[in-house]
């Protein structure tokens, strides 16, 4: 891709309709369908045919990103989590159901060192350097791991994993998979 010529790409995530790419310098580029602010450039319907720098995050060093079906989560080297796009079930973690056209800091996790995040169709999980796992968004068949059927509008610690050090997770449409430092795998959500 010419737009990334001279850049050292260190990671990429493909969502349902868009792609997020980050570089060794910590820059985030997105491209694809821009509906609902999916690309984080401020427009609701602006599509990008080539990778475009997400200017809101200039000055931050992006170290990870997860492009979901209708939202994106981004982690920075100082442990901050940013989310954007559709928020109809609270999957952005900002306390409401509104969307965000540009990356917005998830303030509830301020003070935590978030090192990774995974975006499902309408939920998000994020883990910290201490191994804590937080989940938020649409609750369907237990995919948030909180043992209920209530949507979570802000990140909530998954208490069932207390004492485990989570080092990674993947969020699907109806379930979540988590792995720990002890090489254990935990799954929860729809089992059909």
């Amino acid at each position: 891709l010419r737009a990334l010529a001279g850049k050292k790409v260190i990671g990429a995530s493909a969502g349902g309709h868009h792609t997020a790419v980050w570089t060794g310098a910590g820059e985030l580029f997105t491209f694809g369908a821009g509906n609902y602010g999916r690309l984080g450039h401020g427009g609701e319907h602006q599509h990008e045919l080539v990778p475009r720098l997400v200017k809101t995050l200039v000055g931050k060093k992006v170290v990870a990103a997860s492009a979901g079906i209708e939202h994106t989560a981004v982690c920075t080297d100082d442990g901050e989590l940013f989310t954007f796009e559709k928020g109809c079930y609270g999957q952005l973690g900002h306390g409401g159901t509104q969307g965000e056209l540009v990356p917005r800091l998830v303030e509830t996790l301020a003070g935590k060192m978030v090192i990774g995040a995974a975006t499902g169709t309408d939920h998000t999980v994020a883990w910290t350097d201490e191994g804590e796992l937080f989940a938020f968004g649409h609750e369907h068949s237990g995919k948030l791991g909180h043992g209920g059927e209530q949507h979570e509008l802000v990140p909530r610690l998954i208490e069932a994993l207390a004492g485990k050090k989570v080092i990674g997770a993947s969020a699907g449409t109806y379930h979540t998979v988590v792995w720990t430092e002890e090489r254990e795998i935990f799954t929860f959500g729809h089992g059909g």
Side-chain angles (χ1 to χ4, degrees), residues 119-176:
T119 51
T121 299
D122 46 26
H123 77 294
T124 306
V125 293
W127 55 98
T128 69
D129 63 338
E130 295 181 352
E132 297 173 304
L133 183 69
F134 294 83
F136 46 102
H138 188 275
E139 176 57 284
H140 179 275
S141 302
K143 70 182 178 181
L144 294 183
H146 301 308
E149 289 291 324
Q150 179 179 337
H151 302 332
E152 298 291 340
L153 303 182
V154 294
R156 180 178 164 195
L157 180 67
I158 299 179
E159 295 175 12
L161 293 171
K164 303 290 182 184
K165 185 169 184 180
V166 173
I167 59 170
S170 182
T173 300
Y174 300 114
H175 73 294
T176 304

Coordinates of all heavy atoms in Angstrom, one line a residue, residues 119-176:
T119 N -12.7 -6.6 20.3 CA -14.0 -6.2 20.0 C -14.8 -7.3 19.4 O -14.4 -7.8 18.4 CB -14.0 -4.9 19.1 OG1 -13.1 -5.2 18.0 CG2 -13.4 -3.7 19.8
G120 N -16.0 -7.6 19.9 CA -16.9 -8.5 19.3 C -17.9 -7.7 18.4 O -17.6 -6.5 18.1
T121 N -19.0 -8.2 18.1 CA -20.0 -7.5 17.3 C -20.5 -6.3 18.1 O -20.5 -5.2 17.5 CB -21.2 -8.4 16.9 OG1 -20.6 -9.5 16.2 CG2 -22.2 -7.7 16.1
D122 N -20.8 -6.4 19.3 CA -21.3 -5.3 20.1 C -20.9 -5.4 21.6 O -21.6 -5.0 22.5 CB -22.8 -5.3 20.0 CG -23.5 -6.7 20.2 OD1 -22.9 -7.5 20.8 OD2 -24.6 -6.9 19.6
H123 N -19.7 -6.0 21.8 CA -19.2 -6.0 23.2 C -17.6 -5.9 23.1 O -17.1 -6.1 22.0 CB -19.6 -7.2 24.0 CG -18.9 -8.5 23.7 ND1 -19.0 -9.1 22.5 CD2 -18.1 -9.2 24.5 CE1 -18.3 -10.3 22.6 NE2 -17.7 -10.3 23.7
T124 N -17.0 -5.4 24.2 CA -15.6 -5.2 24.2 C -15.0 -5.9 25.5 O -15.7 -5.8 26.5 CB -15.3 -3.7 24.2 OG1 -15.9 -3.1 23.1 CG2 -13.8 -3.5 24.2
V125 N -13.9 -6.5 25.4 CA -13.1 -6.9 26.6 C -11.8 -6.2 26.5 O -11.2 -6.1 25.4 CB -13.0 -8.4 26.7 CG1 -14.4 -9.1 26.9 CG2 -12.4 -9.1 25.4
A126 N -11.3 -5.9 27.7 CA -9.9 -5.2 27.8 C -9.2 -5.8 29.0 O -9.8 -6.0 30.0 CB -10.1 -3.7 27.9
W127 N -7.9 -6.0 28.9 CA -7.1 -6.6 30.0 C -6.0 -5.6 30.3 O -5.5 -4.9 29.5 CB -6.7 -8.0 29.7 CG -5.9 -8.2 28.4 CD1 -4.5 -8.3 28.3 CD2 -6.4 -8.4 27.1 NE1 -4.2 -8.5 27.0 CE2 -5.3 -8.5 26.2 CE3 -7.7 -8.4 26.6 CZ2 -5.5 -8.7 24.9 CZ3 -7.9 -8.6 25.2 CH2 -6.8 -8.7 24.4
T128 N -5.5 -5.8 31.6 CA -4.5 -4.9 32.1 C -3.2 -5.6 32.3 O -3.2 -6.9 32.2 CB -4.9 -4.3 33.4 OG1 -5.0 -5.3 34.4 CG2 -6.3 -3.6 33.3
D129 N -2.2 -4.9 32.6 CA -0.9 -5.5 32.8 C -0.9 -6.4 34.1 O -0.1 -7.3 34.3 CB 0.2 -4.4 32.9 CG 0.0 -3.5 34.1 OD1 -1.1 -3.3 34.6 OD2 1.0 -2.9 34.5
E130 N -1.9 -6.2 35.0 CA -2.0 -7.0 36.2 C -2.8 -8.2 35.9 O -3.0 -9.0 36.8 CB -2.6 -6.1 37.3 CG -1.7 -5.0 37.8 CD -2.3 -4.2 38.9 OE1 -3.5 -4.4 39.2 OE2 -1.6 -3.4 39.4
G131 N -3.4 -8.4 34.7 CA -4.1 -9.5 34.4 C -5.6 -9.4 34.6 O -6.3 -10.4 34.6
E132 N -6.1 -8.3 35.0 CA -7.5 -8.1 35.2 C -8.2 -8.0 33.8 O -7.7 -7.4 32.9 CB -7.8 -6.8 35.9 CG -7.2 -6.7 37.3 CD -7.4 -5.3 37.9 OE1 -6.9 -4.4 37.3 OE2 -8.0 -5.2 39.0
L133 N -9.4 -8.6 33.7 CA -10.2 -8.5 32.5 C -11.5 -7.8 32.8 O -12.2 -8.1 33.7 CB -10.5 -9.9 32.0 CG -11.3 -10.0 30.7 CD1 -10.4 -9.5 29.5 CD2 -11.8 -11.4 30.4
F134 N -11.8 -6.8 31.9 CA -13.0 -6.0 32.0 C -13.8 -6.3 30.7 O -13.3 -6.4 29.7 CB -12.6 -4.5 32.1 CG -11.9 -4.1 33.3 CD1 -10.6 -4.3 33.4 CD2 -12.6 -3.6 34.4 CE1 -9.9 -3.9 34.6 CE2 -12.0 -3.2 35.6 CZ -10.6 -3.4 35.7
A135 N -15.1 -6.3 30.9 CA -16.0 -6.5 29.8 C -17.2 -5.5 29.8 O -17.6 -5.1 30.9 CB -16.6 -7.9 29.8
F136 N -17.6 -5.0 28.6 CA -18.7 -4.1 28.6 C -19.4 -4.2 27.2 O -18.8 -4.6 26.2 CB -18.2 -2.7 28.9 CG -17.0 -2.2 28.2 CD1 -17.0 -1.4 27.1 CD2 -15.7 -2.6 28.6 CE1 -15.8 -1.0 26.4 CE2 -14.5 -2.2 28.0 CZ -14.6 -1.4 26.9
G137 N -20.7 -3.7 27.2 CA -21.4 -3.7 26.0 C -22.7 -4.6 26.1 O -23.2 -4.7 27.2
H138 N -23.0 -5.2 25.0 CA -24.3 -6.0 24.9 C -24.1 -7.3 25.6 O -23.1 -8.0 25.3 CB -24.6 -6.2 23.4 CG -25.9 -6.9 23.2 ND1 -26.1 -8.3 23.2 CD2 -27.1 -6.4 22.9 CE1 -27.3 -8.6 22.9 NE2 -28.0 -7.4 22.7
E139 N -25.0 -7.6 26.5 CA -24.9 -8.9 27.2 C -25.9 -9.8 26.5 O -27.1 -9.6 26.5 CB -25.3 -8.7 28.7 CG -25.4 -10.0 29.5 CD -24.1 -10.8 29.4 OE1 -23.9 -11.5 28.4 OE2 -23.4 -10.8 30.4
H140 N -25.4 -10.9 26.0 CA -26.3 -11.9 25.4 C -25.7 -13.3 25.7 O -24.6 -13.6 25.4 CB -26.3 -11.7 23.9 CG -27.1 -12.8 23.1 ND1 -26.6 -14.0 22.8 CD2 -28.4 -12.7 22.7 CE1 -27.6 -14.7 22.1 NE2 -28.7 -13.9 22.1
S141 N -26.5 -14.1 26.4 CA -26.1 -15.5 26.8 C -24.8 -15.5 27.6 O -24.0 -16.5 27.4 CB -25.9 -16.3 25.5 OG -27.2 -16.3 24.8
G142 N -24.5 -14.5 28.3 CA -23.3 -14.5 29.2 C -22.0 -14.2 28.6 O -20.9 -14.4 29.2
K143 N -22.0 -13.6 27.4 CA -20.7 -13.3 26.7 C -19.8 -12.2 27.4 O -18.7 -12.1 27.1 CB -20.9 -12.9 25.2 CG -21.6 -11.6 25.0 CD -21.8 -11.4 23.5 CE -22.5 -10.0 23.3 NZ -22.7 -9.9 21.8
L144 N -20.4 -11.5 28.4 CA -19.6 -10.5 29.1 C -19.0 -11.2 30.4 O -18.1 -10.6 31.0 CB -20.5 -9.3 29.6 CG -21.0 -8.4 28.5 CD1 -21.8 -7.3 29.1 CD2 -20.0 -7.9 27.5
G145 N -19.4 -12.3 30.7 CA -18.8 -13.1 31.8 C -19.2 -12.6 33.2 O -18.5 -12.9 34.2
H146 N -20.3 -11.8 33.3 CA -20.7 -11.3 34.6 C -21.8 -12.1 35.3 O -22.2 -11.8 36.4 CB -21.1 -9.8 34.5 CG -20.1 -8.9 33.9 ND1 -18.8 -8.8 34.5 CD2 -20.1 -8.0 32.9 CE1 -18.1 -7.9 33.8 NE2 -18.8 -7.4 32.8
G147 N -22.3 -13.1 34.6 CA -23.3 -14.0 35.1 C -24.7 -13.5 35.1 O -25.6 -13.9 35.8
G148 N -24.9 -12.5 34.2 CA -26.3 -11.9 34.1 C -26.7 -11.7 32.7 O -26.0 -12.1 31.7
E149 N -27.7 -10.9 32.5 CA -28.2 -10.6 31.2 C -28.3 -9.1 31.0 O -29.0 -8.6 30.2 CB -29.6 -11.2 30.9 CG -29.5 -12.7 30.8 CD -28.9 -13.2 29.5 OE1 -29.0 -12.5 28.4 OE2 -28.1 -14.2 29.5
Q150 N -27.6 -8.3 31.8 CA -27.6 -6.8 31.8 C -26.5 -6.3 31.0 O -25.4 -6.6 31.1 CB -27.6 -6.3 33.2 CG -27.6 -4.8 33.3 CD -27.5 -4.4 34.8 OE1 -27.9 -5.1 35.7 NE2 -27.1 -3.1 35.0
H151 N -26.9 -5.3 30.1 CA -25.8 -4.6 29.3 C -25.0 -3.8 30.3 O -25.5 -3.3 31.3 CB -26.5 -3.7 28.3 CG -27.4 -4.4 27.3 ND1 -27.3 -5.7 26.9 CD2 -28.5 -3.9 26.6 CE1 -28.2 -6.0 26.0 NE2 -28.9 -4.9 25.8
E152 N -23.7 -3.7 29.9 CA -22.8 -2.9 30.7 C -22.3 -1.7 29.9 O -21.7 -1.8 28.9 CB -21.6 -3.7 31.2 CG -22.0 -4.9 32.0 CD -22.5 -4.5 33.4 OE1 -22.2 -3.4 33.9 OE2 -23.1 -5.4 34.1
L153 N -22.6 -0.5 30.4 CA -22.3 0.7 29.7 C -20.8 1.3 30.0 O -20.3 2.1 29.3 CB -23.3 1.8 30.0 CG -24.7 1.5 29.7 CD1 -25.6 2.7 30.0 CD2 -24.9 1.0 28.3
V154 N -20.2 0.7 31.0 CA -18.8 1.1 31.4 C -18.1 -0.3 31.7 O -18.7 -1.3 32.0 CB -18.7 2.0 32.6 CG1 -19.3 3.4 32.2 CG2 -19.4 1.4 33.8
P155 N -16.8 -0.3 31.5 CA -16.0 -1.5 31.8 C -16.3 -2.0 33.2 O -16.3 -1.3 34.2 CB -14.6 -1.1 31.7 CG -14.6 0.1 30.7 CD -15.9 0.8 31.1
R156 N -16.6 -3.3 33.3 CA -16.8 -4.0 34.6 C -15.9 -5.2 34.7 O -15.8 -6.0 33.8 CB -18.3 -4.4 34.7 CG -18.6 -5.1 36.0 CD -20.1 -5.5 36.0 NE -20.4 -6.4 37.1 CZ -21.5 -7.1 37.2 NH1 -22.4 -7.0 36.3 NH2 -21.6 -8.0 38.1
L157 N -15.2 -5.3 35.9 CA -14.3 -6.3 36.1 C -15.0 -7.7 36.1 O -16.1 -7.8 36.7 CB -13.6 -6.1 37.5 CG -12.6 -7.2 37.9 CD1 -11.3 -7.2 37.0 CD2 -12.2 -6.9 39.4
I158 N -14.4 -8.7 35.5 CA -15.0 -10.0 35.5 C -14.5 -10.7 36.7 O -13.3 -11.2 36.8 CB -14.6 -10.8 34.2 CG1 -15.2 -10.1 33.0 CG2 -15.2 -12.3 34.3 CD1 -14.9 -10.8 31.7
E159 N -15.3 -10.8 37.7 CA -14.9 -11.3 39.1 C -14.6 -12.8 39.0 O -13.8 -13.3 39.9 CB -16.0 -10.9 40.1 CG -16.1 -9.4 40.3 CD -17.2 -9.0 41.2 OE1 -17.8 -9.9 41.9 OE2 -17.5 -7.8 41.3
A160 N -15.2 -13.5 38.1 CA -15.0 -15.0 38.1 C -13.6 -15.3 37.7 O -13.1 -16.4 38.0 CB -16.0 -15.6 37.1
L161 N -12.8 -14.4 37.2 CA -11.4 -14.6 36.8 C -10.4 -14.0 37.9 O -9.2 -13.9 37.6 CB -11.1 -14.0 35.5 CG -11.8 -14.8 34.3 CD1 -11.7 -14.0 33.0 CD2 -11.3 -16.2 34.2
A162 N -11.0 -13.6 39.0 CA -10.1 -13.0 40.1 C -9.0 -14.1 40.4 O -9.4 -15.3 40.6 CB -10.9 -12.7 41.3
G163 N -7.8 -13.7 40.6 CA -6.7 -14.6 40.9 C -6.1 -15.2 39.7 O -5.0 -15.8 39.8
K164 N -6.6 -15.0 38.5 CA -6.0 -15.4 37.3 C -5.4 -14.2 36.6 O -5.8 -13.1 36.7 CB -7.1 -16.0 36.3 CG -7.8 -17.2 36.9 CD -7.0 -18.4 37.0 CE -7.8 -19.6 37.6 NZ -6.9 -20.7 37.8
K165 N -4.3 -14.4 35.9 CA -3.6 -13.3 35.1 C -3.9 -13.5 33.7 O -3.3 -14.3 33.0 CB -2.1 -13.3 35.4 CG -1.5 -12.1 34.7 CD -0.1 -11.9 35.1 CE 0.4 -10.6 34.4 NZ 1.8 -10.3 34.8
V166 N -4.9 -12.7 33.2 CA -5.3 -12.8 31.8 C -4.2 -12.1 31.0 O -3.8 -11.0 31.3 CB -6.7 -12.1 31.6 CG1 -7.0 -12.0 30.1 CG2 -7.8 -12.8 32.4
I167 N -3.8 -12.8 29.9 CA -2.8 -12.2 29.0 C -3.3 -12.0 27.5 O -2.6 -11.5 26.7 CB -1.5 -13.0 29.0 CG1 -1.8 -14.5 28.5 CG2 -0.9 -13.0 30.3 CD1 -0.5 -15.3 28.3
G168 N -4.6 -12.4 27.3 CA -5.2 -12.3 26.0 C -6.6 -12.7 26.0 O -7.1 -13.4 26.8
A169 N -7.4 -12.2 24.9 CA -8.8 -12.5 24.8 C -9.2 -12.3 23.3 O -8.5 -11.5 22.6 CB -9.6 -11.7 25.7
S170 N -10.3 -13.0 23.0 CA -10.9 -12.8 21.7 C -12.4 -12.7 21.9 O -13.0 -13.5 22.6 CB -10.5 -14.0 20.7 OG -11.1 -13.8 19.5
A171 N -13.0 -11.7 21.2 CA -14.4 -11.5 21.4 C -15.1 -11.8 20.1 O -14.8 -11.2 19.1 CB -14.7 -10.1 21.8
G172 N -16.1 -12.7 20.1 CA -16.8 -13.1 18.9 C -18.2 -12.4 18.9 O -18.4 -11.5 19.7
T173 N -19.1 -12.9 18.2 CA -20.4 -12.4 18.1 C -21.2 -12.7 19.4 O -21.9 -11.8 20.0 CB -21.2 -12.9 16.9 OG1 -20.5 -12.5 15.7 CG2 -22.6 -12.3 16.8
Y174 N -21.2 -14.0 19.8 CA -22.0 -14.4 20.9 C -21.2 -15.0 22.0 O -21.7 -15.6 23.0 CB -23.0 -15.4 20.5 CG -24.0 -14.8 19.5 CD1 -24.0 -15.3 18.2 CD2 -24.9 -13.8 19.8 CE1 -24.9 -14.8 17.2 CE2 -25.8 -13.3 18.9 CZ -25.8 -13.8 17.6 OH -26.7 -13.3 16.7
H175 N -19.8 -15.0 22.0 CA -19.0 -15.6 23.0 C -17.7 -14.9 23.1 O -17.3 -14.1 22.3 CB -18.9 -17.1 22.8 CG -18.0 -17.5 21.7 ND1 -18.2 -17.2 20.4 CD2 -16.8 -18.1 21.7 CE1 -17.2 -17.7 19.6 NE2 -16.3 -18.2 20.4
T176 N -17.0 -15.3 24.2 CA -15.6 -14.7 24.5 C -14.7 -15.8 24.9 O -15.1 -16.7 25.6 CB -15.7 -13.6 25.6 OG1 -16.7 -12.6 25.2 CG2 -14.4 -13.0 25.8

